[in-house]
Amino acid sequence: MLTDLPNLLTLSRIVVVPIVVGLVVIHTPQTDCAACVLFILAGITDYLDGKLARAWNQNSDLGRMLDPIADKLLVGASLMVLAGLGRLPYGCLYPAIIILSREILVSGLREYLAATRVGLPVTRLAKWKTGFQMTAIGFLLAGDSTAGLLHIGWLPVDVMGAVMMWIAAVLTLITGWDYLSTGLRHVNRGTTGATKLSS
């Protein structure tokens, strides 16, 4: 099961996390570019592992467990190292806090609802949020230094990353509220059911 390709792709995202962090810390145009490329490749594996698992009928409990862990490690570590090095321009520290807080919220809701055998489906808006979020982080990892390295210094990479990060934060608030509302409805149903049983 562990050696199934979808699970290996998921594990590769976890392996890449410390490498991306190390490259960002070194902070040269070359390492910034490499960190961005690795992050993009990791994002592609996030798409491929689920698609291949469904196509090849290799869905597993291990994959379902590792996939969200790998995603949160990649996003969380990238945002934290960028914040720690002061590389979240234009107030992007605040969107980063919103995004990480939402990840904790959704993880808690999923854990609770899993115990009640209720799923928390991913909405279309949440997929848009993820798209903006991953693209924004990729741009911020690359930074203006990568633009200079690739001789496209006229491209405002940091500004583009910051704009997309703020858009992702707005979508994060909307989808976070949607998930919270859904979770609370199930909590209320469970409480009502328990009250009826006890009476």
Side-chain angles (χ1 to χ4, degrees), residues 31-93:
T31 57
D32 288 348
C33 182
C36 176
V37 170
L38 280 178
F39 185 85
I40 291 171
L41 291 175
I44 293 172
T45 67
D46 185 26
Y47 168 77
L48 286 177
D49 58 9
K51 189 175 183 64
L52 291 178
R54 290 187 293 271
W56 296 348
N57 196 26
Q58 291 184 342
N59 291 299
S60 66
D61 290 336
L62 179 64
R64 281 187 287 270
M65 178 190 74
L66 288 177
D67 188 63
I69 292 174
D71 295 343
K72 287 169 178 54
L73 283 174
L74 182 64
V75 170
S78 297
L79 288 176
M80 284 189 285
V81 72
L82 287 170
L85 296 174
R87 291 181 55 189
L88 289 176
Y90 306 103
C92 279
L93 176 63

Coordinates of all heavy atoms in Angstrom, one line a residue, residues 31-93:
T31 N 18.4 29.7 -5.4 CA 17.7 28.9 -4.5 C 16.2 29.3 -4.4 O 15.3 28.5 -4.2 CB 18.3 28.9 -3.1 OG1 18.4 30.3 -2.6 CG2 19.7 28.3 -3.1
D32 N 16.0 30.6 -4.6 CA 14.6 31.0 -4.6 C 13.8 30.4 -5.8 O 12.7 30.0 -5.6 CB 14.5 32.6 -4.7 CG 14.9 33.3 -3.4 OD1 15.0 32.6 -2.4 OD2 15.1 34.5 -3.4
C33 N 14.5 30.4 -6.9 CA 13.9 29.8 -8.1 C 13.7 28.3 -7.9 O 12.6 27.8 -8.2 CB 14.8 30.0 -9.3 SG 14.2 29.4 -10.9
A34 N 14.7 27.6 -7.3 CA 14.6 26.2 -7.0 C 13.4 25.9 -6.1 O 12.7 24.9 -6.2 CB 15.9 25.6 -6.5
A35 N 13.3 26.7 -5.0 CA 12.2 26.5 -4.1 C 10.8 26.7 -4.7 O 9.9 25.9 -4.5 CB 12.3 27.6 -2.9
C36 N 10.7 27.6 -5.6 CA 9.5 27.8 -6.4 C 9.2 26.6 -7.2 O 8.0 26.1 -7.3 CB 9.6 29.1 -7.2 SG 8.1 29.4 -8.3
V37 N 10.2 26.1 -8.0 CA 10.0 25.0 -8.9 C 9.5 23.8 -8.1 O 8.6 23.0 -8.4 CB 11.3 24.7 -9.7 CG1 11.1 23.4 -10.4 CG2 11.5 25.8 -10.6
L38 N 10.2 23.5 -6.9 CA 9.9 22.4 -6.1 C 8.5 22.5 -5.6 O 7.7 21.5 -5.5 CB 10.9 22.2 -4.9 CG 12.2 21.5 -5.3 CD1 13.1 21.5 -4.0 CD2 12.0 20.1 -5.8
F39 N 8.1 23.7 -5.2 CA 6.7 23.9 -4.6 C 5.7 23.7 -5.7 O 4.7 23.0 -5.4 CB 6.6 25.4 -4.1 CG 5.3 25.7 -3.4 CD1 5.1 25.4 -2.1 CD2 4.3 26.2 -4.1 CE1 3.9 25.6 -1.5 CE2 3.1 26.5 -3.5 CZ 2.9 26.2 -2.2
I40 N 6.0 24.1 -6.9 CA 5.0 23.9 -8.0 C 4.9 22.4 -8.3 O 3.8 21.9 -8.5 CB 5.5 24.6 -9.3 CG1 5.4 26.1 -9.1 CG2 4.7 24.2 -10.5 CD1 6.0 26.9 -10.2
L41 N 6.0 21.7 -8.3 CA 6.0 20.2 -8.6 C 5.2 19.5 -7.5 O 4.5 18.6 -7.7 CB 7.4 19.7 -8.7 CG 8.2 20.1 -9.9 CD1 9.7 19.6 -9.8 CD2 7.6 19.6 -11.2
A42 N 5.4 20.0 -6.2 CA 4.7 19.4 -5.1 C 3.2 19.6 -5.3 O 2.3 18.7 -5.0 CB 5.2 20.0 -3.8
G43 N 2.8 20.8 -5.8 CA 1.4 21.1 -6.0 C 0.8 20.2 -7.1 O -0.3 19.8 -7.0
I44 N 1.6 19.9 -8.1 CA 1.2 19.0 -9.2 C 0.9 17.6 -8.6 O -0.1 17.0 -9.0 CB 2.2 19.0 -10.3 CG1 2.2 20.4 -11.0 CG2 1.8 17.9 -11.3 CD1 3.3 20.5 -12.0
T45 N 1.8 17.2 -7.7 CA 1.6 15.8 -7.1 C 0.3 15.8 -6.3 O -0.4 14.7 -6.2 CB 2.7 15.4 -6.2 OG1 2.8 16.2 -5.1 CG2 4.0 15.5 -7.0
D46 N -0.1 16.9 -5.7 CA -1.4 17.0 -5.0 C -2.6 16.7 -5.9 O -3.5 16.1 -5.5 CB -1.5 18.4 -4.3 CG -2.7 18.4 -3.4 OD1 -3.2 17.4 -2.9 OD2 -3.2 19.6 -3.2
Y47 N -2.5 17.2 -7.1 CA -3.5 16.9 -8.1 C -3.5 15.5 -8.6 O -4.5 14.8 -8.7 CB -3.4 17.9 -9.3 CG -4.2 17.5 -10.5 CD1 -5.6 17.8 -10.5 CD2 -3.7 16.9 -11.6 CE1 -6.4 17.5 -11.6 CE2 -4.4 16.6 -12.7 CZ -5.8 16.9 -12.7 OH -6.6 16.5 -13.8
L48 N -2.2 15.0 -8.9 CA -2.1 13.7 -9.5 C -2.4 12.5 -8.6 O -3.0 11.5 -9.0 CB -0.6 13.5 -10.0 CG -0.3 14.3 -11.3 CD1 1.2 14.1 -11.6 CD2 -1.1 13.9 -12.4
D49 N -2.0 12.7 -7.3 CA -2.2 11.5 -6.4 C -3.6 11.1 -6.3 O -4.0 9.9 -6.4 CB -1.5 11.7 -5.0 CG -2.1 12.9 -4.3 OD1 -3.1 13.5 -4.7 OD2 -1.5 13.3 -3.2
G50 N -4.5 12.1 -6.1 CA -6.0 11.7 -6.0 C -6.5 11.2 -7.3 O -7.3 10.3 -7.3
K51 N -6.1 11.9 -8.4 CA -6.6 11.5 -9.7 C -6.2 10.0 -10.1 O -7.0 9.2 -10.5 CB -6.1 12.4 -10.8 CG -6.7 12.3 -12.1 CD -6.2 13.3 -13.1 CE -6.9 13.2 -14.5 NZ -8.3 13.4 -14.4
L52 N -4.9 9.7 -9.8 CA -4.4 8.4 -10.1 C -5.0 7.3 -9.1 O -5.3 6.2 -9.6 CB -2.9 8.3 -9.9 CG -2.1 9.1 -11.0 CD1 -0.6 9.1 -10.7 CD2 -2.4 8.6 -12.4
A53 N -5.2 7.7 -7.9 CA -5.8 6.8 -6.9 C -7.2 6.4 -7.4 O -7.6 5.2 -7.3 CB -5.8 7.4 -5.5
R54 N -8.0 7.3 -7.8 CA -9.3 7.0 -8.3 C -9.3 6.2 -9.6 O -10.0 5.3 -9.8 CB -10.1 8.3 -8.5 CG -10.5 9.0 -7.2 CD -11.4 10.2 -7.4 NE -10.7 11.3 -8.2 CZ -10.0 12.3 -7.6 NH1 -9.9 12.3 -6.3 NH2 -9.4 13.2 -8.3
A55 N -8.4 6.6 -10.5 CA -8.3 6.0 -11.8 C -7.9 4.5 -11.7 O -8.3 3.6 -12.4 CB -7.4 6.7 -12.8
W56 N -6.9 4.3 -10.8 CA -6.4 2.9 -10.6 C -7.0 2.2 -9.5 O -6.5 1.1 -9.1 CB -4.8 3.0 -10.4 CG -4.1 3.6 -11.6 CD1 -4.6 3.8 -12.8 CD2 -2.7 4.0 -11.6 NE1 -3.6 4.4 -13.6 CE2 -2.5 4.5 -12.9 CE3 -1.7 4.1 -10.6 CZ2 -1.2 5.0 -13.3 CZ3 -0.5 4.6 -11.0 CH2 -0.2 5.0 -12.3
N57 N -8.0 2.7 -8.9 CA -8.7 2.1 -7.8 C -7.7 1.8 -6.7 O -7.7 0.7 -6.1 CB -9.4 0.8 -8.3 CG -10.5 0.3 -7.2 OD1 -11.0 1.1 -6.4 ND2 -10.7 -1.0 -7.2
Q58 N -6.9 2.8 -6.3 CA -5.9 2.6 -5.3 C -6.2 3.5 -4.1 O -5.3 3.9 -3.4 CB -4.5 2.8 -5.8 CG -4.0 1.7 -6.8 CD -2.6 2.0 -7.2 OE1 -2.0 3.0 -7.1 NE2 -2.0 0.9 -7.7
N59 N -7.5 3.8 -3.9 CA -7.8 4.6 -2.7 C -7.6 3.8 -1.5 O -7.8 2.6 -1.4 CB -9.3 5.0 -2.8 CG -9.6 6.0 -3.9 OD1 -9.1 7.1 -3.9 ND2 -10.5 5.6 -4.8
S60 N -7.0 4.5 -0.5 CA -6.6 3.8 0.8 C -6.8 4.7 2.0 O -6.8 5.9 1.8 CB -5.2 3.2 0.7 OG -4.3 4.3 0.7
D61 N -6.9 4.1 3.1 CA -7.0 4.9 4.4 C -5.7 5.6 4.6 O -5.7 6.8 5.1 CB -7.3 4.0 5.6 CG -8.7 3.4 5.5 OD1 -9.6 4.1 4.9 OD2 -9.0 2.4 6.1
L62 N -4.6 5.0 4.2 CA -3.3 5.6 4.4 C -3.2 6.9 3.5 O -2.8 8.0 4.0 CB -2.2 4.7 4.0 CG -0.7 5.3 4.1 CD1 -0.4 5.6 5.5 CD2 0.3 4.3 3.5
G63 N -3.7 6.8 2.3 CA -3.6 8.0 1.4 C -4.5 9.1 1.9 O -4.2 10.2 1.8
R64 N -5.7 8.7 2.4 CA -6.7 9.7 2.9 C -6.1 10.4 4.1 O -6.4 11.6 4.4 CB -8.0 9.1 3.2 CG -8.9 8.8 2.0 CD -10.3 8.4 2.3 NE -10.3 7.0 2.8 CZ -10.4 5.9 2.0 NH1 -10.5 6.1 0.7 NH2 -10.4 4.7 2.5
M65 N -5.3 9.7 4.9 CA -4.7 10.3 6.1 C -3.5 11.2 5.7 O -3.4 12.3 6.2 CB -4.2 9.2 7.0 CG -3.5 9.7 8.3 SD -2.6 8.4 9.2 CE -1.2 8.1 8.2
L66 N -2.6 10.7 4.8 CA -1.4 11.4 4.4 C -1.7 12.7 3.6 O -1.0 13.7 3.7 CB -0.4 10.5 3.7 CG 0.2 9.4 4.5 CD1 1.1 8.6 3.6 CD2 1.1 10.0 5.6
D67 N -2.7 12.6 2.7 CA -2.9 13.7 1.8 C -3.1 15.1 2.5 O -2.4 16.0 2.1 CB -4.1 13.4 0.8 CG -4.2 14.4 -0.3 OD1 -3.3 14.5 -1.1 OD2 -5.2 15.1 -0.3
P68 N -4.1 15.2 3.4 CA -4.2 16.5 4.0 C -3.0 16.9 4.9 O -2.7 18.1 5.0 CB -5.5 16.3 4.9 CG -5.6 14.9 5.1 CD -5.1 14.2 3.9
I69 N -2.3 15.9 5.5 CA -1.2 16.2 6.3 C -0.1 16.8 5.4 O 0.6 17.8 5.8 CB -0.6 14.9 7.0 CG1 -1.6 14.5 8.0 CG2 0.7 15.2 7.6 CD1 -1.3 13.1 8.7
A70 N 0.2 16.2 4.2 CA 1.2 16.7 3.3 C 0.9 18.1 2.8 O 1.7 19.0 2.8 CB 1.3 15.7 2.1
D71 N -0.4 18.3 2.5 CA -0.8 19.7 2.1 C -0.6 20.7 3.1 O 0.0 21.8 2.8 CB -2.3 19.6 1.7 CG -2.6 18.8 0.5 OD1 -1.7 18.4 -0.2 OD2 -3.8 18.4 0.3
K72 N -1.0 20.4 4.3 CA -0.8 21.4 5.4 C 0.6 21.6 5.8 O 1.0 22.8 6.1 CB -1.7 21.0 6.6 CG -3.2 21.2 6.4 CD -4.0 20.5 7.4 CE -5.5 20.7 7.1 NZ -5.9 20.3 5.8
L73 N 1.4 20.6 5.8 CA 2.9 20.8 6.0 C 3.5 21.6 5.0 O 4.3 22.5 5.3 CB 3.6 19.4 6.1 CG 3.4 18.5 7.3 CD1 4.0 17.2 7.1 CD2 4.0 19.2 8.5
L74 N 3.2 21.4 3.7 CA 3.8 22.2 2.6 C 3.4 23.7 2.7 O 4.3 24.5 2.7 CB 3.4 21.6 1.3 CG 4.0 22.2 0.0 CD1 5.5 22.1 0.0 CD2 3.3 21.7 -1.2
V75 N 2.1 23.9 2.9 CA 1.6 25.3 2.9 C 2.1 26.0 4.2 O 2.6 27.1 4.2 CB 0.1 25.3 2.8 CG1 -0.4 26.7 3.1 CG2 -0.4 24.9 1.4
G76 N 1.9 25.3 5.3 CA 2.3 25.9 6.6 C 3.8 26.2 6.7 O 4.1 27.3 7.2
A77 N 4.6 25.3 6.3 CA 6.1 25.5 6.4 C 6.5 26.6 5.5 O 7.3 27.4 5.9 CB 6.8 24.2 6.1
S78 N 5.9 26.6 4.3 CA 6.3 27.7 3.3 C 5.9 29.1 3.9 O 6.7 30.0 3.8 CB 5.6 27.4 2.0 OG 6.1 26.2 1.4
L79 N 4.7 29.2 4.4 CA 4.3 30.5 4.9 C 5.1 30.9 6.1 O 5.4 32.1 6.3 CB 2.8 30.4 5.3 CG 1.8 30.4 4.1 CD1 0.4 30.2 4.6 CD2 2.0 31.6 3.2
M80 N 5.4 29.9 7.0 CA 6.1 30.3 8.2 C 7.5 30.7 8.0 O 8.1 31.6 8.6 CB 6.1 29.1 9.2 CG 4.7 29.0 9.9 SD 4.8 27.8 11.3 CE 4.8 26.2 10.3
V81 N 8.2 30.0 7.0 CA 9.6 30.4 6.7 C 9.6 31.8 6.0 O 10.5 32.6 6.3 CB 10.3 29.3 5.9 CG1 9.8 29.3 4.4 CG2 11.8 29.6 5.9
L82 N 8.6 32.0 5.1 CA 8.6 33.3 4.5 C 8.3 34.4 5.5 O 8.9 35.5 5.5 CB 7.5 33.3 3.4 CG 7.8 32.6 2.1 CD1 6.5 32.5 1.3 CD2 8.9 33.2 1.3
A83 N 7.4 34.1 6.5 CA 7.1 35.1 7.5 C 8.4 35.4 8.4 O 8.7 36.5 8.8 CB 6.0 34.6 8.4
G84 N 9.0 34.3 8.8 CA 10.2 34.4 9.6 C 11.3 35.2 9.0 O 12.1 35.8 9.7
L85 N 11.4 35.1 7.7 CA 12.5 35.8 7.0 C 12.0 37.2 6.5 O 12.8 37.9 5.8 CB 13.0 35.0 5.8 CG 13.7 33.7 6.2 CD1 14.0 32.9 5.0 CD2 14.9 33.9 7.0
G86 N 10.8 37.6 6.9 CA 10.3 38.9 6.5 C 10.1 39.0 5.0 O 10.2 40.1 4.4
R87 N 9.6 37.9 4.4 CA 9.4 37.9 2.9 C 7.9 37.8 2.6 O 7.6 37.2 1.6 CB 10.2 36.8 2.3 CG 11.7 37.0 2.3 CD 12.5 35.9 1.7 NE 12.0 35.6 0.3 CZ 12.4 34.6 -0.4 NH1 13.3 33.7 0.1 NH2 12.0 34.4 -1.6
L88 N 7.1 38.3 3.4 CA 5.7 38.4 3.1 C 5.3 39.9 3.0 O 4.9 40.6 3.9 CB 4.8 37.8 4.2 CG 4.9 36.3 4.3 CD1 4.1 35.8 5.5 CD2 4.4 35.6 3.1
P89 N 5.5 40.5 1.8 CA 5.4 41.9 1.6 C 3.9 42.4 1.5 O 3.0 41.6 1.4 CB 6.0 42.1 0.2 CG 5.8 40.8 -0.5 CD 5.9 39.8 0.5
Y90 N 3.7 43.7 1.6 CA 2.4 44.3 1.5 C 1.4 43.7 2.5 O 0.3 43.5 2.1 CB 1.9 44.2 0.0 CG 2.9 44.7 -1.0 CD1 3.7 43.8 -1.7 CD2 3.1 46.1 -1.1 CE1 4.6 44.3 -2.6 CE2 4.0 46.6 -2.1 CZ 4.8 45.7 -2.8 OH 5.7 46.2 -3.7
G91 N 1.9 43.5 3.7 CA 0.9 43.1 4.7 C 0.5 41.7 4.6 O -0.5 41.3 5.2
C92 N 1.2 40.8 3.8 CA 0.8 39.5 3.6 C 0.9 38.5 4.8 O 0.4 37.4 4.8 CB 1.6 38.8 2.4 SG 0.9 39.3 0.8
L93 N 1.5 39.1 5.9 CA 1.5 38.3 7.1 C 0.1 38.0 7.6 O -0.2 36.9 8.1 CB 2.3 39.0 8.2 CG 2.3 38.4 9.6 CD1 3.0 37.0 9.5 CD2 3.0 39.3 10.6

